[in-house]
Every structure is written in structure tokens, then in C-alpha cells.
């Protein structure tokens, strides 16, 4: 059904592109729907086939409402959904991405662009929720979707399209950064408890700051403690959110562990935006969805009235006693880090800090992701680790100490906050008077879903070299496309933590690992 929705979106995009050519003003409803519908197709967002079928029908309605003078005769521009669900499923079998090109390399780049486009849509929806939009972002969505129906674009054209997706994603992330900081303030370094307080409880997971803010407002004075889960951890750094005293702490780790963690949580759970797994029967009555997230049989909250969540929390027992737990720090977004940029530069010049590692990305359950835990554990003690996104839950609670008062583990935020990490890298390059690729900075990334692809395309658009990517390379990357990435950007798959650290810090030709020791005894 998601394949059919993507097919319908390509038809809508054809009309939107033609309307722009004819000077017809862009339709805000079409723009918003395109982003919302693409967001719906991200990993672990909407599992409700009937809901997606409704989006397909709405897409066709919007397509037919765009009045252009030119006749568009592609099937995506003319198809009518079947009357019943089974008929729509049958239609979907003919329109998946494998049908778009017979050339595996072009199809690979189409797939890469489509995944990146979904990431762009997610950031655009988050930004729009808080009042930030750019019609140029929507225009690219239409351009890229419509281009997938063209038989005239070459392999080089699709390389360019993928890189343009990265460029547009940078703008989308900038909009989201402006939206978040403009609404809730610039994140500040903040200690967050991993324990729990006695009392009723609500857990908020996903990514949506506004949903969390509304839950906090609607639970004031009700004796309910609110906890974050997964990618919501960085919310504790925002002044506009941490001002609520009943924002009690953080519970749990990454999305793939929710079956165990949600089953043990003694309160109501709200899943926002994405990262939902199929709810277990043990907690299905306690979980609610909002925004694009839906699952059959789970109560969905339309708008921002979270009364059902609050009422369920009051019905459940909550935590019967205080649960002790360690604390972690978050809130090291660009303003916090760049506020001590002078100290960082001096520490590098004095060889107190030898190297920075950005160890970031999406987590998953597949074996091999313990690489990132081992990598961080083995990073020498005169090096600093920046991290963001849910990949950090492999090591977020480790005490790496500090260098001259600068913590060695800096949590920049959500995957949605990758813009902050980019701005930190650019500002440091300016402070040192070198290009980003000449900084003592290495990127070791884990990928899982579409936002990760969008961020990778942004880094490629910026010309970032020598990225290490894992735990496996995307299955939709063909050998020829991989060669382009290796030849132009020196992208390489991760190997082992020891070998990768030796290659980064000692050089690929190093015969021993003596350089993995700290560079100064005082460190």
C-alpha cells in the first residue's frame, strides 16, 4: 500500500511541476500533503493499511484538483484507485520502485534519492509543525518524485539529483533547527536522571518536541511525572521544556528495545512521529499514537488533546517507589559547543585534544552494531566523541571523563539535530583556518532508515570525505554506485574498531598501534 501511495505521489508531483511551469501558485495543501504522505512511508511509522489507502485516495483527489492546460498521460497521472482495499493491493504490485527503470544503477540512485526524500519530508513536517516552511523544499520534493517517471535522465543526472537532495535536506534541517530553538530556546548542557520517581507516569517516545510540550502542559498539577524515551532524551536540554519540574527523567534506550522497555513501564505511553514497533498485547491498551504514527487497534490522538493519555496514566499504578539511576548529560548543541570554541581550539593546539570523532546515526537490532560501543570504549583518552541520534544508546551512559573541563562525550541531540553537528564542524574549520576535511575530525556513522540516508546525502553535498559507514552498506547501493561514492568521497565500510582507529589516528600504512596511546601523559 505504501508502494501505491508513492505511485500516486509521483502522479501528483507531475501535476505540481507542470503547474509551476505554467505559473500557477503552489498549493499549500498539496505541499503539506506530499510531505505528510512521504513521512508516513518512513520505517516504523504507519502500519495501518486502511489509513494509507485513505491517503492514496486523497492524493488522487488533490492531483485531479490541480488544473493545468497540458494533458499528462503517464499512468501515475491518470490512475484511479480500485474501489476496495484488495483491489488497491493488487494495483500496488505493478508500481513499486523496481518498475521505474530497467537499469539497476539508475534504479539504485532513484532508490537512494527516494529514501533521502523521505528524510527531507520528515524534517520538513517537524519544522512546519512549529511554523517554519520553505516552498523551495516542497518544490524539490515534486521535482524528484516526478523525475522518477522520466526515461530521459542519465546516471549522471541521478547522481546530481541525489546530491541536490542532500542540499535541500540541509535547508530542511536548518528550518527545523530554527523551529526548535525559536520555540523552546537553545539547548543547554543538562544532567538527566535515568532513574524514576514514585508516582503516576507518562512516557513520550519518538521525536516530536511539540507533543512533549503539550503533554507537559496538560499534566501540570495532576501528580503525573513525564519521562522521555529514545530520541526524546535531548529534549531535556531545551529551556522551554526542562522548565517543567515534572519532566522527571529518561527511561529506556533505543527504539528496537521498546518491546522489553514498554512492557515494563507502569504508565501510559505516547509514540510520536516514528520508531514504533508492533505493540505487544501486554501494553497495547497503554500505548497511544500521534501525528503520522498509526497501528491497527491502537488509540490514535488527532490534534493535541492528550486527555486519553492522561486518563490512562491516572488509571495505572505508576512507579510504586523511587527507582535510583545514574545520570547522563545532553544538550551539547552547536551554541553550547561553540560557546567554548576558544577553549577547544587551544586544547587542540596544546595537544590536549588530539582528535574528534562523530559517532552517530540510527541504531538497530542486527548483530554488528556492538562495533560502535567498542569503538567509543577504545577511543584514546585524549580524543573527544560527539554523538547524536539513537545510535548513541550503545554508549550514552558511559563515563568517559573530560579534558580540561570539556566532557569527552558530547550529546549533540536527535538525528533531527544533525544540522547542529554540521554547524559545529564548519565553525571549527573556520576557527582553525582549514577546510572541514582537514580538521582532526572523523565521522563513523551507523545507518538504518531514511533520515540517515538524507543526512549522508547532505554530507556528500558538502564534500565531506572519508566517512566510515556501517554496520553494513545499504542493499540498494549497486557496485557501480558504490564505486562512485568511493572514488569521489572515499566512503568506506567499517571494519573493526581497532583497525579503524589505527587507520584514522596512525594512517593506513601504520605498522603498529603505538599512536593509539594518548599523546600527552598529562591527558
Amino acid at each position: 500500500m505504501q508502494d501505491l501511495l508513492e505511485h500516486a505521489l509521483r502522479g501528483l508531483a507531475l501535476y505540481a511541476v507542470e503547474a509551476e511551469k505554467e505559473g500557477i501558485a503552489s498549493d499549500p495543501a498539496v505541499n503539506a500533503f506530499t510531505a505528510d504522505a512521504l513521512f508516513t512511508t518512513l520505517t516504523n511509522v504507519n502500519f495501518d493499511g486502511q489509513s494509507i489507502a485513505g491517503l492514496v485516495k486523497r492524493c488522487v483527489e488533490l492531483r485531479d484538483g490541480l488544473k493545468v492546460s497540458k494533458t499528462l498521460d503517464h499512468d501515475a497521472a491518470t490512475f484511479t484507485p480500485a474501489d476496495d482495499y484488495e483491489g488497491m493491493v493488487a494495483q500496488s504490485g505493478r508500481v513499486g520502485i523496481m518498475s521505474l527503470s530497467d537499469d539497476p544503477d539508475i534504479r539504485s540512485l532513484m532508490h537512494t534519492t527516494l529514501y533521502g526524500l523521505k528524510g527531507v519530508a520528515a524534517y520538513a513536517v517537524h519544522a512546519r509543525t512549529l511554523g517554519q516552511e520553505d516552498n523551495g523544499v516542497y518544490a524539490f520534493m515534486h521535482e524528484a518524485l516526478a523525475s522518477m517517471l522520466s526515461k530521459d535522465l542519465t546516471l549522471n543526472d541521478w547522481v546530481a539529483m541525489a546530491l541536490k537532495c542532500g542540499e535541500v535536506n540541509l535547508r530542511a534541517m536548518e528550518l527545523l533547527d530554527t523551529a526548535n530553538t525559536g520555540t523552546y530556546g537553545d539547548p543547554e548542557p543538562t544532567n538527566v536522571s535515568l532513574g524514576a520517581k514514585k508516582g503516576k507516569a507518562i512516557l513520550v517516545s519518538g521525536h516530536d518536541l511539540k507533543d512533549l510540550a503539550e503533554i507537559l502542559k496538560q499534566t501540570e498539577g495532576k501528580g503525573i511525572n513525564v519521562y522521555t524515551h529514545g530520541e526524546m532524551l535531548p529534549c531535556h536540554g531545551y529551556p522551554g521544556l526542562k522548565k517543567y519540574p515534572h519532566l522527571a527523567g529518561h527511561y529506556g534506550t533505543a527504539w528496537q528495545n521498546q518491546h522489553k522497555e514498554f512492557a515494563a513501564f507502569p504508565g501510559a505511553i505516547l509514540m510520536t512521529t516514528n520508531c514504533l514497533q508492533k505493540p505487544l498485547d501486554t501494553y497495547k491498551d497503554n500505548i497511544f499514537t500521534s501525528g503520522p504514527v498509526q497501528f491497527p487497534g491502537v488509540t490514535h490522538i488527532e490534534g493535541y488533546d492528550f486527555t486519553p493519555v492522561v486518563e490512562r496514566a491516572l488509571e495505572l499504578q505508576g512507579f510504586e517507589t523511587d527507582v535510583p539511576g545514574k545520570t547522563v548529560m545532553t544538550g551539547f548543541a552547536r551554541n553550547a559547543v561553540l560557546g567554548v570554541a576558544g577553549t577547544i581550539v587551544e586544547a587542540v593546539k596544546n595537544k590536549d585534544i588530539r582528535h574528534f570523532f562523530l559517532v552517530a546515526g540510527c541504531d538497530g537490532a542486527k548483530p554488528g552494531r556492538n562495533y560502535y560501543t567498542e569503538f567509543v570504549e577504545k577511543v584514546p583518552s585524549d580524543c573527544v566523541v560527539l554523538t547524536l541520534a539513537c545510535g548513541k544508546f550503545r554508549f550514552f551512559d558511559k563515563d568517559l571523563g573530560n579534558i580540561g573541563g570539556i566532557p569527552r562525550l558530547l550529546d549533540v541531540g536527535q538525528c533531527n539535530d544533525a544540522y547542529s553537528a554540521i554547524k559545529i564542524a564548519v565553525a571549527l574549520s573556520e576557527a582553525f583556518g582549514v577546510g572541514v576535511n582537514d580538521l582532526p575530525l572523523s565521522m563513523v556513522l551507523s545507518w538504518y532508515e531514511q533520515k540517515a540516508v538524507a543526512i549522508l546525502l547532505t554530507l556528500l553535498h558538502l564534500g565531506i570525505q572519508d566517512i566510515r559507514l556501517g554496520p553494513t552498506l545499504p542493499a540498494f547501493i549497486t557496485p557501480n554506485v558504490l564505486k562512485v561514492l568511493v572514488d569521489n568521497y572515499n566512503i568506506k565500510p567499517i571494519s573493526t574498531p581497532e583497525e579503524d582507529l589505527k587507520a584514522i589516528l596512525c594512517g593506513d600504512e601504520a605498522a603498529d598501534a603505538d599512536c593509539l596511546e594518548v599523546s600527552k601523559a598529562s591527558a
Side-chain angles (χ1 to χ4, degrees):
M1 195 55 68
Q2 290 186 4
D3 284 342
L4 193 61
L5 178 57
E6 291 168 8
H7 180 65
L9 284 169
R10 289 189 283 269
L12 176 62
L14 279 177
Y15 273 89
V17 169
E18 181 59 29
E20 183 179 13
K21 289 178 181 177
E22 295 183 12
I24 301 171
S26 63
D27 187 331
V30 169
N31 290 341
F33 177 86
T34 299
D36 289 342
L38 280 170
F39 196 172
T40 295
T41 67
L42 260 75
T43 304
N44 294 354
V45 174
N46 192 332
F47 295 84
D48 190 333
Q50 295 290 348
S51 167
I52 300 171
L55 293 176
V56 174
K57 293 175 181 177
R58 176 59 179 156
C59 188
V60 171
E61 290 175 1
L62 288 169
R63 180 198 74 193
D64 293 345
L66 285 176
K67 304 301 181 184
V68 299
S69 61
K70 185 178 179 180
T71 300
L72 304 177
D73 58 4
H74 194 284
D75 176 66
T78 58
F79 107 99
T80 300
D83 293 333
D84 59 9
Y85 186 80
E86 290 72 19
M88 293 176 71
V89 170
Q91 287 178 314
S92 73
R94 302 187 294 271
V95 297
I97 197 162
M98 298 298 286
S99 70
L100 296 179
S101 174
D102 295 327
D103 185 317
D105 296 324
I106 287 179
R107 196 167 61 231
S108 172
L109 286 165
M110 278 187 184
H111 207 162
T112 304
T113 301
L114 178 62
Y115 265 28
L117 201 61
K118 294 180 180 189
V120 173
Y123 296 134
V125 171
H126 284 301
R128 190 186 76 229
T129 297
L130 295 175
Q132 293 291 324
E133 294 184 87
D134 183 340
N135 282 338
V137 172
Y138 297 126
F140 174 73
M141 291 181 190
H142 300 315
E143 175 193 355
L145 286 166
S147 295
M148 292 175 188
L149 301 177
S150 172
K151 301 298 183 184
D152 299 328
L153 298 185
T154 65
L155 191 65
N156 286 337
D157 291 330
W158 277 106
V159 169
M161 187 70 74
L163 292 175
K164 186 174 180 181
C165 185
E167 178 183 8
V168 173
N169 185 59
L170 183 63
R171 174 59 178 153
M173 290 193 298
E174 180 185 26
L175 289 169
L176 178 55
D177 181 86
T178 300
N180 287 342
T181 58
T183 306
Y184 303 111
D186 287 303
E188 304 165 344
T190 303
N191 282 306
V192 183
S193 170
L194 300 182
K197 296 179 180 179
K198 179 181 178 180
K200 305 293 185 178
I202 291 176
L203 187 63
V204 183
S205 190
H207 297 77
D208 198 282
L209 274 61
K210 185 173 181 179
D211 280 355
L212 175 62
E214 291 299 323
I215 281 283
L216 289 166
K217 290 177 187 176
Q218 293 171 38
T219 50
E220 280 190 290
K222 290 184 168 61
I224 299 174
N225 291 313
V226 177
Y227 300 85
T228 56
H229 175 270
E231 287 269 52
M232 299 300 283
L233 169 62
C235 294
H236 290 268
Y238 287 92
L241 297 173
K242 70 176 185 174
K243 68 181 181 182
Y244 293 94
H246 59 298
L247 181 58
H250 186 79
Y251 174 93
T253 53
W255 66 271
Q256 76 274 6
N257 301 320
Q258 64 189 253
H259 279 167
K260 178 180 178 181
E261 293 170 354
F262 287 4
F265 188 75
I269 303 164
L270 177 66
M271 176 58 72
T272 74
T273 62
N274 69 309
C275 291
L276 177 69
Q277 287 185 301
K278 178 182 179 180
L280 300 178
D281 290 340
T282 52
Y283 61 83
K284 195 169 185 178
D285 292 339
N286 301 338
I287 191 169
F288 301 80
T289 60
S290 66
V293 187
Q294 294 191 49
F295 200 96
V298 171
T299 301
H300 184 71
I301 306 295
E302 295 288 352
Y304 293 96
D305 182 358
F306 293 110
T307 300
V309 184
V310 175
E311 290 177 344
R312 185 58 178 157
L314 292 171
E315 293 169 359
L316 294 167
Q317 68 181 25
F319 288 97
E320 296 182 325
T321 61
D322 289 344
V323 179
K326 63 169 63 176
T327 62
V328 296
M329 288 197 76
T330 190
F332 292 99
R334 71 176 190 281
N335 275 21
V337 175
L338 296 182
V340 294
T343 303
I344 292 173
V345 171
E346 284 304 308
V348 173
K349 289 180 178 178
N350 293 335
K351 301 189 185 305
D352 292 318
I353 296 178
R354 180 178 15 163
H355 206 83
F356 295 89
F357 293 92
L358 178 63
V359 185
C362 300
D363 203 4
K366 185 174 181 177
R369 291 180 180 268
N370 59 326
Y371 164 95
Y372 298 93
T373 309
E374 295 175 15
F375 186 95
V376 169
E377 289 174 339
K378 291 175 179 177
V379 166
S381 59
D382 57 353
C383 301
V384 173
V385 175
L386 294 94
T387 189
L388 57 83
C390 64
K392 65 172 167 271
F393 289 110
R394 295 275 169 172
F395 49 80
F396 81 121
D397 57 350
K398 295 188 179 299
D399 183 3
L400 301 185
N402 67 83
I403 300 175
I406 299 170
R408 289 189 56 235
L409 181 61
L410 300 174
D411 180 6
V412 178
Q414 298 181 342
C415 60
N416 294 7
D417 298 314
Y419 180 77
S420 230
I422 290 170
K423 296 297 285 186
I424 289 170
V426 171
L428 288 177
S429 73
E430 292 171 354
F432 283 106
V434 299
V436 172
N437 288 317
D438 297 316
L439 283 172
L441 168 68
S442 299
M443 299 187 183
V444 184
L445 307 180
S446 57
W447 87 280
Y448 184 82
E449 50 93 61
Q450 295 84 354
K451 292 179 186 176
V453 176
I455 293 168
L456 178 62
L457 292 177
T458 294
L459 294 175
L460 300 183
H461 156 71
L462 293 171
I464 304 298
Q465 300 275 334
D466 301 319
I467 297 169
R468 282 173 165 78
L469 189 64
T472 56
L473 295 177
F476 50 84
I477 297 295
T478 60
N480 287 335
V481 172
L482 179 61
K483 186 175 186 302
V484 171
L485 295 176
V486 172
D487 290 348
N488 289 280
Y489 302 99
N490 201 27
I491 278 187
K492 48 180 72 80
I494 60 172
S495 57
T496 67
E498 295 85 354
E499 289 302 313
D500 288 344
L501 278 167
K502 185 165 66 173
I504 292 168
L505 293 175
C506 312
D508 291 317
E509 303 303 321
D512 59 59
D514 288 347
C515 60
L516 297 185
E517 302 299 322
V518 296
S519 59
K520 289 180 68 176
S522 60

